[in-house]
Amino acid sequence: MKNIVVTGGAGFIGSNFVRYLLERYPNYHVVVYDNLTYAGNLDNLQDVSERFAERYDFVRADICDAKEVERVVQQYSVDTIVNFAAESHVDRSLMEPGGFIQTDVYGTYVLLEAARKFGVERYHQVSTDEVYGQVLDGRSTESDRLHTRSPYSASKAGGDLMCLAYFTSFGVPVTITRGSNNIGPYQYPEKVVPLFVTNAIDDLPLPLYGDGLQMRDYQYVLDHCEGIDVVLHKGQIGEIYNLGTGTETRNIDMAHLILKLLDKPQSLLQPITDRPGHDRRYALDCRKIQSIGWQSRHTFEEALEKTVRWYVDNQWWWRKIKSGAHYEEYYTRQYAGREINPAAT
Ligand code: NAD
Ligand code: DAU
């Protein structure tokens, strides 16, 4: 039996990863360690707790709480830590950066200390392509310099560097994946795809930043989960692996396709003032992870179609979030008063 702690396992990617692991490996016991911020949601794991009751536990706690982290690592004889826990939304990092530094940097340090103290077999850090900063030409390779431009990406880079320091200085067996934008079930509707899909279902405007020509590599969340699994089993310790499809889509084209899939008018598209410091393009060179046996399974169109269908079929999930006070307050703070930008169409 393997004993894995998945921090941030009640969030979007973490909950998909937990379901994926339990379905795939009958000899794995998974402890989700999550303090349930606004983005953590036990609805994401409702089916998991019913289907895998004997091999799944949930602990509500903060990764910055060293005592609690150590207790869990000891109590469950943990051999693997996979860290998804983070403040993850760029726009929020522009409003309140402090929480990002706390969780994404300090929290990573606390987990690494526990990994070191109790000699875990693997510590895996789930990182992001945003640490390379915007890439106007070419593709980022794992050895490229970090050039972060938002408090979110700077905090994630801090976490990555701490992992590499713990590998070099103390021999903690770390691996790191740097993933591109994920889409799929259970993504909090602050991120662009679930925000646009759920707004379009309700005939609300789709707030497109700037000229909409920014490019992202949108990958299906289960492809990302599979990539992390491949690195856990075949990755080399101390190494970083880029993880994406290697193809990019312009935001404006993604928005048009969502409206088309939902049979909604293109007039719902509402270009507004740009995000400050908005990274124009991310693009990953993924040959390293491909060389250890991972390949993305979904094209962008397939991933988007599956995602749109899930939000149409699971309105119970996102309507609960969108009708809550926290969401309304955030939405008003983020979007009210932003000017319409006639430059884009
Ligand atoms: P999310 O915001 O949906 O989930 C984050 C989870 O972490 C939540 O359940 C939250 O409650 C938990 N959490 C936050 N702070 C915590 C703390 N201090 N202690 C314990 N739990 C805490 O995020 P996501 O989109 O699922 O992203 C997961 C990870 O993957 C993050 O590290 C993110 O940087 C990385 N990543 C995300 C994407 C993406 O497109 N979403 C792409 C690449 C990498
Ligand atoms: O690249 C990986 C990263 O992808 C992850 O590390 C982050 O956790 C995740 O949030 C995501 O960051 P982005 O900033 O790329 O994602 P977001 O969904 O916020 O925005 C995607 C693109 O859409 C980006 O170019 C900004 C644009 N956008 C976003 C929002 C929320 C809009 O045009 N309008 C919006 O309302």
Side-chain angles (χ1 to χ4, degrees):
M1 190 61 109
K2 269 209 155 303
N3 293 309
I4 303 193
V5 169
V6 178
T7 59
F12 163 47
I13 311 176
S15 62
N16 278 285
F17 184 70
V18 167
R19 186 175 297 99
Y20 166 91
L21 272 190
L22 289 166
E23 280 173 357
R24 172 139 199 203
Y25 298 107
N27 62 330
Y28 281 18
H29 179 269
V30 175
V31 180
V32 168
Y33 186 105
D34 196 303
N35 68 347
L36 300 182
T37 66
Y38 77 92
N41 184 352
L42 288 179
D43 282 351
N44 301 2
L45 293 164
Q46 202 181 65
D47 62 313
V48 167
S49 62
E50 289 160 10
R51 290 167 62 203
F52 302 104
E54 291 107 66
R55 295 192 288 121
Y56 162 79
D57 283 291
F58 176 78
V59 175
R60 182 173 188 176
D62 194 322
I63 59 165
C64 300
D65 180 344
K67 259 196 181 154
E68 191 58 8
V69 168
E70 289 189 8
R71 184 190 70 75
V72 167
V73 171
Q74 267 187 304
Q75 180 183 328
Y76 291 97
S77 306
V78 169
D79 43 64
T80 306
I81 298 174
V82 183
N83 180 28
F84 289 90
E87 287 295 337
S88 68
H89 193 40
V90 173
D91 289 321
R92 288 184 197 254
S93 83
L94 298 168
M95 291 174 182
E96 287 170 8
F100 288 71
I101 299 162
Q102 179 69 5
T103 292
D104 303 8
V105 185
Y106 186 81
T108 298
Y109 147 74
V110 169
L111 295 173
L112 286 164
E113 266 299 311
R116 174 190 179 197
K117 186 165 172 183
F118 296 101
V120 302
E121 289 165 23
R122 180 66 67 88
Y123 175 92
H124 183 77
Q125 179 77 351
V126 181
S127 187
T128 169
D129 59 2
E130 300 206 7
V131 297
Y132 299 115
Q134 64 178 6
V135 183
L136 300 179
D137 297 304
R139 305 194 163 274
S140 307
T141 64
E142 289 82 354
S143 57
D144 281 2
R145 70 180 279 243
L146 306 187
H147 196 144
T148 59
R149 290 160 38 96
S150 74
Y152 164 70
S153 56
S155 304
K156 290 297 292 183
D160 283 18
L161 294 177
M162 198 58 74
C163 291
L164 295 174
Y166 267 65
F167 169 68
T168 307
S169 305
F170 308 121
V172 174
V174 305
T175 42
I176 298 173
T177 43
R178 291 184 175 150
S180 65
N181 292 56
N182 284 219
I183 59 173
Y186 303 109
Q187 186 169 30
Y188 193 87
E190 65 189 352
K191 306 288 177 358
V192 74
V193 167
L195 172 65
F196 281 12
V197 172
T198 56
N199 275 14
I201 290 171
D202 283 344
D203 298 306
L204 295 170
L206 276 49
L208 185 73
Y209 294 157
D211 60 10
L213 301 182
Q214 308 82 9
M215 298 177 97
R216 295 292 184 269
D217 173 356
Y218 294 101
Q219 66 173 320
Y220 196 60
V221 64
L222 286 177
D223 288 341
H224 187 193
C225 293
E226 211 168 19
I228 294 169
D229 181 18
V230 167
V231 170
L232 277 178
H233 288 91
K234 298 191 197 151
Q236 237 187 303
I237 60 165
E239 291 293 319
I240 299 164
Y241 295 86
N242 288 342
L243 179 39
T245 71
T247 59
E248 300 88 52
T249 305
R250 300 188 313 179
N251 288 335
I252 199 164
D253 298 330
M254 170 270 294
H256 282 308
L257 189 51
I258 287 174
L259 291 169
K260 191 169 162 218
L261 286 167
L262 288 166
D263 202 17
K264 297 286 182 175
Q266 301 292 330
S267 57
L268 281 180
L269 208 55
Q270 187 175 81
I272 57 166
T273 322
D274 207 352
R275 170 187 280 176
H278 196 167
D279 286 340
R280 203 71 184 155
R281 172 178 179 261
Y282 305 126
L284 290 174
D285 179 326
C286 297
R287 281 176 295 179
K288 188 168 170 184
I289 193 169
Q290 285 163 3
S291 76
I292 58 166
W294 176 86
Q295 185 72 49
S296 168
R297 289 181 194 269
H298 296 79
T299 63
F300 166 68
E301 287 75 14
E302 288 163 352
L304 191 67
E305 208 175 322
K306 265 193 179 178
T307 301
V308 168
R309 204 177 319 131
W310 190 85
Y311 285 87
V312 168
D313 292 344
N314 291 278
Q315 301 198 18
W316 67 274
W317 182 83
W318 57 266
R319 287 202 183 280
K320 229 184 199 181
I321 294 171
K322 284 189 107 171
S323 59
H326 173 86
Y327 188 86
E328 272 186 44
E329 195 193 311
Y330 166 75
Y331 201 82
T332 307
R333 191 170 169 197
Q334 174 63 17
Y335 295 102
R338 268 183 119 107
E339 278 174 31
I340 310 288
N341 170 17
T345 46

